[in-house]
Amino acid sequence: MPGYATRAAEPSTASTTETLDPQDWSAVADLAHRMVDDAVDHVSGVRDRPVWQPMPEEVEAAFAGSAPEGSTSLEDVYAEFRRNVLAYPMGNIHPRFWSWYMGAGNFTGALGDLLAAVQGSNLGGGSHAAALLDQQVIGWLRDMVGLPETGSGTLTSGGSMANLLGLTVARNAAAGIDLREEGVAALPRPLRFYASDQVHSCHRKAVETLGLGNKALRRIETDRGFHINVPALKRAIREDRGAGLNPACIIGTAGTVNTGAVDDLRALADLAAEEGLWFHVDGCIGALVAISHEYAGLVEGIERADSIALDPHKWLHAPFEVGCALFRDRALHRQTFAVSPEYLKGTARGLASGEFLHEYGLQTSRGFAALKVWMAIKEHGIAKFGRLIDQNMAQARRLAGLVRDNPPLELMVEPELNIVCFRHAPAGWAEAQLRALNTEIMVRLQETGVAAVSDTVIDGRHCLRAAICNHRTRDEDLDLFITETLRLGSMLSRSMQ
């Protein structure tokens, strides 16, 4: 070929062919056993370590190097991992990590991730065991939230992608045209989606990604408990229809990220049915309350949704990452994403005789995330995960009680699920002073390794936010947290006045 030097092909021999497999499998086995031992020590001893600690400058600098040209022994690579990575985790497996909304992982799930990587299956589809197991897990999750057996779903990287898939199907179902062929420019009327003003920011990203623009997502005011105001929602739908817009989808939130508020899902399902709108539920925080023994009634109505987003890496405590998008109508789900090129045709027998799972989402290649969920559910059973949800809900109520009993701590809103919002509020302090004080309390709790919480703003008031989605949390952890918060607040109050 012009521009390319050619030479005769050399015969392939064992001595000249390279591979990534080790030359000495027994040495790798010894190191792998040590890795597992270290992993057991890391998780079993997590309570004895700080929740989080800042990295020294020399550790941060280690991540600035360029990719190596040559090789390094696996022993040395693992030593560097232990020294610079394992020693400085985010901290979310620690019993006193309550920042943002995470989940604490579980060791069986971690082993599942290892085994999934060893098996190496691609969940794009085909006839193999991993694909069947994936669909079994989808079925279990579908059953947990009450969707019919004829429904469908797909695992995703997390809730943001699960919500995007749900809203994509909603968009296409409401378009009134072949949107996949014609595109959003051909829409006869602009679509409108409706959610509370507490809706997660991933929904803005979703409508922007779908080509509809941020204006397509109409935020509806909430009541004093931060639930969507259903009469206001009805008015908004009526106004938009009168203005020539096309109301397409109601997004109900089963657990807002700020306070854990659960919208009235039954009322939203009724309204969606009356208006002929798609009903999507963002259940990434609270959908799995459906398996709770004490609080399942809080999400009653979720089983009437057309689509649901949820996160097994939260209250099923699967190691990151795994989300799930579920759908009532399997045909609409598949019609939104299916593409069958000549190189991905099914056959009556052989490897391609299994269903192509990539036809239910955006990823042609997808890892075997289902295994870590499957193994943990097999080991512990759904009933135990339901009890762990009840446990976290009770802990949130206990924490709220400790706040009420210890002024100048101030509870911002009664917890509905497992999120507690409060602040250290000395009498007479201005809002800007309270923000500075509570931000410093939060950072010092993190830097000392005592606890990790995040912060937010509710009705214009800054506060601390503890989201207890953690199967390792105990009552004494809550006691220590409050004790240290009071101590830091008292000390800082004197110095900041």
Side-chain angles (χ1 to χ4, degrees):
M1 292 177 61
Y4 289 88
T6 59
R7 62 179 181 178
E10 296 181 0
S12 176
T13 66
S15 60
T16 60
T17 301
E18 290 195 293
T19 178
L20 296 176
D21 288 336
Q23 292 182 343
D24 184 352
W25 280 103
S26 63
V28 170
D30 290 342
L31 180 57
H33 286 125
R34 194 177 349 134
M35 288 177 177
V36 172
D37 288 341
D38 291 344
V40 170
D41 290 343
H42 179 77
V43 178
S44 64
V46 65
R47 181 172 289 278
D48 302 324
R49 297 194 303 274
V51 178
W52 177 86
Q53 57 182 338
M55 287 177 286
E57 290 183 4
E58 61 271 19
V59 172
E60 290 193 11
F63 299 106
S66 56
E69 285 290 332
S71 62
T72 305
S73 73
L74 185 55
E75 284 273 1
D76 289 343
V77 172
Y78 178 57
E80 184 173 353
F81 164 78
R82 290 193 64 197
R83 183 171 62 251
N84 291 343
V85 181
L86 189 63
Y88 301 97
M90 185 181 200
N92 52 288
I93 73 168
H94 195 285
R96 292 191 298 278
F97 186 98
W98 307 306
S99 286
W100 304 299
Y101 206 105
M102 293 291 174
N106 73 88
F107 197 75
T108 296
L111 294 175
D113 258 347
L114 170 63
L115 296 174
V118 168
Q119 203 222 27
S121 292
N122 179 354
L123 271 293
S127 177
H128 54 98
L132 294 179
L133 187 150
D134 177 278
Q135 290 303 287
Q136 184 175 38
V137 168
I138 292 292
W140 290 351
L141 296 171
R142 179 201 64 214
D143 293 346
M144 288 182 206
V145 295
L147 288 184
E149 290 186 10
T150 52
S152 60
T154 186
L155 296 184
T156 65
S157 57
S160 295
M161 182 58 69
N163 279 304
L164 173 62
L165 296 187
L167 298 191
T168 303
V169 180
R171 179 199 65 177
N172 288 19
I177 61 171
D178 184 352
L179 194 61
R180 293 189 66 183
E181 187 68 23
E182 302 295 335
V184 294
L187 283 169
R189 294 181 296 157
L191 299 176
R192 284 294 179 266
F193 291 65
Y194 304 89
S196 86
D197 57 19
Q198 300 294 301
V199 73
H200 193 281
S201 59
C202 73
H203 294 279
R204 171 175 179 160
K205 291 185 179 182
V207 295
E208 291 173 355
T209 301
L210 293 173
L212 304 175
N214 182 42
K215 288 183 178 180
L217 180 60
R218 184 162 178 178
R219 283 80 164 176
I220 306 300
E221 66 190 56
T222 50
D223 61 22
R224 292 179 61 84
F226 303 101
H227 316 99
I228 193 169
N229 184 316
V230 177
L233 172 60
K234 291 180 180 179
R235 290 193 299 271
I237 294 171
R238 189 164 56 245
E239 290 170 3
D240 285 346
R241 278 215 173 95
L245 304 175
N246 183 7
C249 174
I250 294 172
I251 302 168
T253 302
T256 60
V257 70
N258 254 351
T259 65
V262 179
D263 289 337
D264 186 340
L265 302 181
R266 289 171 295 183
L268 295 182
D270 288 343
L271 181 58
E274 292 168 9
E275 298 285 351
L277 273 61
W278 187 276
F279 180 35
H280 174 76
V281 174
D282 179 352
C284 293
I285 285 179
L288 289 172
V289 172
I291 66 171
S292 159
H293 304 279
E294 297 182 35
Y295 301 98
L298 289 174
V299 295
E300 188 174 340
I302 195 170
E303 73 283 353
R304 297 172 60 189
D306 294 299
S307 56
I308 301 170
L310 57 84
D311 270 344
H313 60 216
K314 292 191 172 84
W315 252 334
L316 291 183
H317 302 290
F320 280 102
E321 57 186 22
V322 56
C324 180
L326 295 170
F327 297 88
R328 174 174 299 277
D329 190 321
R330 185 181 188 90
L332 281 176
H333 179 195
R334 184 181 180 279
Q335 288 168 15
T336 302
F337 300 108
V339 176
S340 300
E342 64 278 4
Y343 46 82
L344 288 174
K345 294 293 185 184
T347 55
R349 301 184 353 257
L351 181 58
S353 62
E355 187 172 26
F356 281 118
L357 302 182
H358 67 81
E359 295 184 334
Y360 294 88
L362 297 172
Q363 295 175 262
T364 306
S365 298
R366 183 162 57 84
F368 191 10
L371 183 58
K372 58 191 170 190
V373 181
W374 185 87
M375 288 180 65
I377 291 176
K378 280 281 191 177
E379 179 186 20
H380 297 290
I382 298 302
K384 183 170 184 177
F385 283 104
R387 292 194 301 272
L388 289 172
I389 291 171
D390 292 341
Q391 181 172 286
N392 282 167
M393 300 274 274
Q395 288 167 337
R397 283 146 182 76
R398 185 175 186 277
L399 179 58
L402 291 173
V403 169
R404 280 191 295 266
D405 293 343
N406 286 277
L409 299 184
E410 176 188 11
L411 189 66
M412 308 297 285
V413 60
E414 288 293 332
E416 191 166 345
L417 293 181
N418 57 330
I419 297 174
V420 181
C421 296
F422 72 99
R423 63 183 179 179
H424 197 286
W429 282 45
E431 184 62 34
Q433 292 175 299
L434 292 175
R435 176 188 284 267
L437 171 63
N438 283 275
T439 300
E440 187 62 24
I441 291 172
M442 176 184 69
V443 172
R444 293 208 185 191
L445 285 168
Q446 294 169 359
E447 289 177 338
T448 57
V450 169
V453 296
S454 56
D455 61 346
T456 191
V457 176
I458 298 176
D459 282 341
R461 299 179 299 165
H462 177 267
C463 62
L464 302 178
R465 176 183 169 281
I468 309 175
C469 184
N470 196 316
H471 61 88
R472 297 187 178 95
T473 297
R474 302 173 185 166
D475 284 352
E476 58 260 37
D477 295 311
L478 305 177
D479 295 337
L480 175 62
F481 171 50
I482 289 296
T483 297
E484 283 300 295
T485 300
L486 286 166
R487 183 187 67 81
L488 286 168
S490 176
M491 179 187 70
L492 291 168
S493 296
R494 293 192 297 271
S495 65
M496 295 175 69
Q497 278 181 326

